[in-house]
Amino acid sequence: MACEIKTWFGLFLVLLAACHMQHCVNSSQVPCLFIFGDSFSDSGNNNYIDTVAKSDYLPFGIDFPTGPTGRATNGRTKADIIGELLGFEKFIPPFANTTGYDILKGVNYASSSGGIRYETGKKTAINNIYLGLQLQNHKIIVSRIVAKLGGLSQAKDHLSKCLYYVYIGTNDYALNYFQPQYYSTSKTYTPEQYAQVLIDQLSTYLQALHKNYARKLILVGLDKIGCAPLSIIDEGKPGCVEKQNAAALIFSQKLKNLVNDFNALLIYSKTIFINTTAVALDNSTGFTVTNVSCCITKGNGFCFPDSIPCFNRNEYVYFDGIHPTEAANNLVALASYDSSYYGNVTHPIDINQLAQLITGKQT
């Protein structure tokens, strides 16, 4: 086991080093990366709004180069690592505090507790930036890019070459559908119906993104949300909460179908699907603790401020009650970037191939 995990991380480091070398010689693979999502990708947007869904304190960021930033993990998120693999020298900045020409490299709009639906997370977190508002923020950035590049034609060309990473939907289950004390969605919809409602709304948002010149989309499926430590604690019995996993799987299957639909209809674009559950996060890849959090958690699953986390963080899947460790993020990000390292994760191509793809005529 130890040998196998060293091999995995060795491959990761070799590939990461190669990407940094590429950056030094030929910049990043794409001109910019735009990130939409929730706490799995938030890099500091929630620091600036009135919400309890914050992670801008230790032990969050204990392994991050600059300490706590608002990332809900001990180090980097999947989006951070994918950015590094693409050759970006700096992390993509959050919308909340990005300025100047930084926006030409991309912006992170993700917000902890946010969802596809407006009301998701509002009952328990007080406030968040849901996907619709994230897209409004992106429109603001697009207008600024038009101004900085000197015209719409130049902005279209720039934006059409970028990658758009969309990883959202977990909270529409964890902080909506499976909270019947606050929301009526589980009484209104079957899991099949609810997943379709979410996909229909997401499809509308993605088409709006396409109208703003997005041509290379990465859509990430949901994790096994019923295996998160908080889900298990709330259920009150050992083992994953399979009804939650089953609901998440329905959503992810429909998301993959949406990718196929987009690729058939939007002929000058390319969209890919990432199946995060295809990556084994268990003993076979060096994770010895798979359903217990590394830090001491509060009732909402986040770490207690200034609590002492576990020391063997590379062996834990979860840092707190909800969010993966950097080690888990490393493995999934690498498999998403390069499918040759781990099969059945990406469809129909991987992120590396998407980055190199010329999508054709832009309109």
Side-chain angles (χ1 to χ4, degrees):
M1 179 187 70
C3 180
E4 187 169 357
I5 193 63
K6 286 179 181 178
T7 300
W8 266 102
F9 281 111
L11 290 170
F12 172 79
L13 291 172
V14 168
L15 185 56
L16 186 57
C19 286
H20 279 302
M21 286 177 65
Q22 179 190 39
H23 177 86
C24 293
V25 174
N26 195 32
S27 190
S28 54
Q29 289 179 264
V30 291
C32 44
L33 171 64
F34 293 100
I35 299 161
F36 302 83
D38 50 31
S39 55
F40 292 120
S41 305
D42 190 348
S43 60
N45 287 307
N46 271 32
N47 297 352
Y48 301 89
I49 63 175
D50 180 20
T51 179
V52 299
K54 291 180 183 285
S55 47
D56 55 346
Y57 57 87
L58 287 171
F60 292 114
I62 190 171
D63 298 311
F64 195 75
T66 58
T69 57
R71 289 167 168 82
T73 182
N74 57 305
R76 296 162 298 162
T77 66
K78 296 179 187 70
D80 288 330
I81 297 163
I82 287 168
E84 288 182 317
L85 291 168
L86 288 166
F88 286 97
E89 187 177 45
K90 298 179 180 179
F91 295 114
I92 302 301
F95 174 79
N97 61 4
T98 185
T99 57
Y101 281 85
D102 283 350
I103 61 174
L104 297 179
K105 296 281 186 164
V107 176
N108 186 330
Y109 306 98
S111 170
S112 294
S113 83
I116 297 168
R117 294 172 68 93
Y118 168 80
E119 79 275 8
T120 288
K122 298 288 196 300
K123 295 288 187 180
T124 52
I126 301 176
N127 195 16
N128 57 48
I129 307 167
Y130 83 111
L131 184 57
L133 185 52
Q134 292 180 34
L135 289 171
Q136 290 297 320
N137 291 338
H138 181 60
K139 286 183 179 179
I140 295 171
I141 293 296
V142 169
S143 67
R144 292 176 183 172
I145 288 175
V146 171
K148 289 187 181 301
L149 293 182
L152 182 59
S153 178
Q154 296 93 319
K156 282 183 180 180
D157 183 65
H158 180 80
L159 292 166
S160 67
K161 298 173 183 175
C162 302
L163 295 186
Y164 297 78
Y165 178 88
V166 183
Y167 184 13
I168 199 164
T170 296
N171 293 321
D172 292 293
Y173 288 95
L175 298 181
N176 189 324
Y177 194 75
F178 290 115
Q179 287 195 340
Q181 69 273 34
Y182 297 123
Y183 300 99
S184 62
T185 45
S186 61
K187 302 180 184 70
T188 305
Y189 305 108
T190 65
E192 179 78 22
Q193 291 169 336
Y194 187 62
Q196 192 59 54
V197 167
L198 293 177
I199 291 295
D200 289 344
Q201 183 61 71
L202 180 60
S203 176
T204 299
Y205 286 141
L206 294 175
Q207 290 176 61
L209 193 58
H210 183 267
K211 289 179 181 178
N212 277 283
Y213 322 114
R215 297 295 181 265
K216 297 182 180 184
L217 275 66
I218 303 162
L219 305 186
V220 184
L222 304 187
D223 298 342
K224 294 181 179 179
I225 60 177
C227 294
L230 182 61
S231 296
I232 296 171
I233 291 170
D234 286 347
E235 188 71 4
K237 56 184 179 181
C240 298
V241 185
E242 293 305 333
K243 65 180 179 181
Q244 294 187 13
N245 287 343
L249 180 60
I250 293 172
F251 174 87
S252 294
Q253 289 172 333
K254 289 181 180 293
L255 186 64
K256 185 176 181 180
N257 292 338
L258 182 65
V259 166
N260 292 333
D261 291 343
F262 274 18
N263 285 332
L265 295 172
L266 305 176
I267 58 174
Y268 298 126
S269 303
K270 192 69 173 182
T271 305
I272 69 171
F273 170 74
I274 305 296
N275 178 14
T276 60
T277 64
V279 182
L281 299 174
D282 54 27
N283 283 323
S284 69
T285 47
F287 294 97
T288 60
V289 187
T290 60
N291 57 10
V292 176
S293 59
C294 173
C295 74
I296 302 170
T297 59
K298 301 185 287 186
N300 65 354
F302 283 68
C303 300
F304 267 111
D306 298 319
S307 57
I308 305 300
C310 63
F311 292 100
N312 53 334
R313 292 185 282 277
N314 284 347
E315 297 181 23
Y316 276 69
V317 172
Y318 290 95
F319 186 64
D320 65 7
I322 307 165
H323 308 100
T325 58
E326 182 182 73
N329 286 335
N330 264 337
L331 201 55
V332 175
L334 177 57
S336 303
Y337 177 79
D338 190 337
S339 58
S340 68
Y341 287 96
Y342 209 111
N344 302 318
V345 174
T346 64
H347 169 83
I349 58 177
D350 59 34
I351 293 175
N352 181 33
Q353 293 167 322
L354 180 66
Q356 298 176 47
L357 193 68
I358 298 174
T359 53
K361 179 183 177 182
Q362 307 303 330
T363 58

